[in-house]
Amino acid sequence: MSCLQADAKGELPCVDLTLNLFVGKGCLTVVGWVMKAAIVATVDNTSIRRDASASDAPSFVGSLVDWIVMGAVTVAARRRLMVMQQQAEGQARQRTIQIVIGGIDLIPAWGFKGMAAAMVGGRLIWDAALVLAFATAIYVTVSPPADAPPTFSNALRAVLCGCMGLGVGFAVNTIPSSLVNFSDYFSIAAFTGELLYAGVVTMVGVFLQAFLALQAEDTASQFVKALLVFLKTAFNFVVAWAWQGALNLAYSGEGNFCDEQILGQLIWCTVLLAAGATLAFTLANANSDDPSQLAKDVRNLLVLVVGINIGWAFSDFAAVCYSCTPGLAGPLGSWLFACLVATGVGGLAWLATRIGENLKRRAVAEFVASGRGSGLSGSLRDFQPGHGVQLEMQQ
């Protein structure tokens, strides 16, 4: 099946997965990082600095301010998106909004990650355990039900729960780092050690997804279900941070001159983009008509790991561009740069979603016209001729 042909359910998984990787994970990661960097620079009266690595921990106060400010912005945006999703005409638009909702919590997540980094500092195991316990308690206490209405309270609860995975994953990864620091060894051994660690953590993540899925089927307690969902989500970020450590050793971004650093980082971002596109195509072709819950969980794990590492790579690229651009030092320059990056990334995300929606509408229109969609109802009525497809294609 072609990547641009609808599957047996009239869906276009290749486009949905691509949007999830590059918009829902990658673009929103960059926006979250650059806004956090600007807020921390303002609070600390400094400039933007690279913050993807565990060794560069921002101040606790600056990260707390970012968590509160960007959390409030995200709550308002999430509530608006939830209303838009209910009112949206067309399944393509609804799925696009759902992808954005699924990744928007990455914006305030950088604030919580900064607080975790400031508290843990890559040294104490008990501090990492405290971060995990705190986030777990918050999640199972305030987690809203899946079918919660788009109220301010439910949006606040969802953002509060959704923004903690990045920090928890970072904190948990400091535990093995405090036991064995691969950077103390020569480069090949360090990279091999990080790569083996990332591979083992990934396998543990897959088995954990299967185990927790079985546990969820055997319980009716909403408290236990919320706990299982949090553990699955948090460990996905543990896997993402594990791969980030290996990728940082694969390409450190070093160079003697700015043009070398910018070009090298851009090439590295292109390599990760190609890896993400390959993953989206592979997962789309492996998509079955009725995937199991385990298959969905593993797919979500892979999309998060690859998508967020793409976002981290582009955040590093933005940090290199900032450091190599004169006249941007200080809070004012940090905000100018942050607004330019957020606007540019937001524009690219908007353009990608519009192209993706048009591709999906066109594919479904062809699917219905071919007669394969005769048995479909309800969810695809809006794609059929006379119910929005022709109008959208004319526009």
Side-chain angles (χ1 to χ4, degrees):
M1 181 185 70
S2 170
C3 190
L4 297 181
Q5 289 182 343
D7 62 13
K9 295 191 294 183
E11 299 175 358
L12 207 61
C14 185
V15 173
D16 282 331
L17 287 167
T18 302
L19 289 178
N20 198 359
L21 273 168
F22 301 124
V23 176
K25 302 298 184 292
C27 289
L28 291 174
T29 295
V30 176
V31 172
W33 170 82
V34 75
M35 297 308 295
K36 192 255 352 212
I39 290 176
V40 171
T42 302
V43 174
D44 295 346
N45 194 27
T46 57
S47 301
I48 289 179
R49 56 183 180 178
R50 179 176 173 176
D51 186 37
S53 65
S55 60
D56 189 11
S59 70
F60 183 88
V61 175
S63 298
L64 176 62
V65 173
D66 172 72
W67 188 44
I68 295 173
V69 173
M70 298 313 300
V73 172
T74 304
V75 168
R78 173 182 272 272
R79 185 185 181 192
R80 177 57 183 162
L81 288 169
M82 292 167 67
V83 173
M84 289 173 59
Q85 187 181 28
Q86 290 185 343
Q87 299 174 347
E89 295 183 1
Q91 198 176 37
R93 167 61 63 175
Q94 292 174 355
R95 287 178 180 164
T96 298
I97 295 174
Q98 183 57 47
I99 287 173
V100 177
I101 290 175
I104 197 171
D105 296 335
L106 287 170
I107 295 177
W110 279 99
F112 185 80
K113 179 264 173 185
M115 291 190 295
M119 186 172 69
V120 175
R123 295 181 300 273
L124 300 178
I125 296 177
W126 289 112
D127 288 339
L130 181 61
V131 172
L132 176 60
F134 171 78
T136 304
I138 293 294
Y139 192 98
V140 299
T141 302
V142 305
S143 179
D147 56 349
T151 62
F152 175 82
S153 174
N154 287 329
L156 176 61
R157 293 163 64 188
V159 171
L160 188 60
C161 294
C163 70
M164 294 186 178
L166 187 68
V168 171
F170 168 83
V172 172
N173 266 285
T174 63
I175 296 176
S177 298
S178 65
L179 299 176
V180 180
N181 189 355
F182 293 114
S183 62
D184 290 340
Y185 305 96
F186 62 93
S187 58
I188 296 179
F191 176 70
T192 303
E194 288 283 3
L195 193 63
L196 288 174
Y197 168 67
V200 170
V201 170
T202 303
M203 294 302 299
V204 172
V206 172
F207 285 114
L208 184 64
Q209 298 287 349
F211 174 76
L212 294 179
L214 292 175
Q215 297 301 312
E217 294 176 356
D218 297 334
T219 181
S221 171
Q222 293 300 321
F223 178 86
V224 175
K225 287 184 177 180
L227 176 61
L228 296 178
V229 170
F230 173 76
L231 292 177
K232 287 197 298 183
T233 304
F235 202 84
N236 287 353
F237 281 98
V238 174
V239 178
W241 277 107
W243 281 102
Q244 191 262 356
L247 292 175
N248 267 0
L249 289 178
Y251 179 74
S252 60
E254 296 179 354
N256 295 325
F257 303 99
C258 278
D259 54 351
E260 294 179 1
Q261 296 178 27
I262 292 175
L263 179 60
Q265 194 66 51
L266 185 60
I267 294 174
W268 180 240
C269 291
T270 304
V271 170
L272 294 184
L273 280 175
T278 302
L279 175 67
F281 181 79
T282 303
L283 291 178
N285 285 334
N287 186 60
S288 61
D289 293 342
D290 188 21
S292 64
Q293 185 60 46
L294 175 59
K296 294 178 182 178
D297 291 339
V298 173
R299 181 184 63 192
N300 292 337
L301 167 64
L302 296 176
V303 168
L304 174 70
V305 170
V306 176
I308 205 170
N309 273 284
I310 290 173
W312 278 328
F314 275 96
S315 297
D316 289 340
F317 173 70
V320 171
C321 291
Y322 174 83
S323 63
C324 291
T325 304
L328 294 180
L332 183 60
S334 298
W335 274 108
L336 175 61
F337 181 78
C339 291
L340 288 174
V341 171
T343 301
V345 172
L348 289 175
W350 177 85
L351 180 61
T353 57
R354 296 301 296 175
I355 294 174
E357 287 177 19
N358 286 332
L359 288 173
K360 287 188 284 185
R361 288 187 174 95
R362 192 163 299 164
V364 172
E366 295 174 355
F367 176 82
V368 173
S370 67
R372 292 184 295 154
S374 59
L376 299 175
S377 61
S379 63
L380 288 177
R381 280 200 306 262
D382 53 312
F383 289 113
Q384 296 180 13
H387 288 81
V389 175
Q390 294 176 340
L391 177 62
E392 180 66 23
M393 292 180 69
Q394 289 172 2
Q395 294 175 344

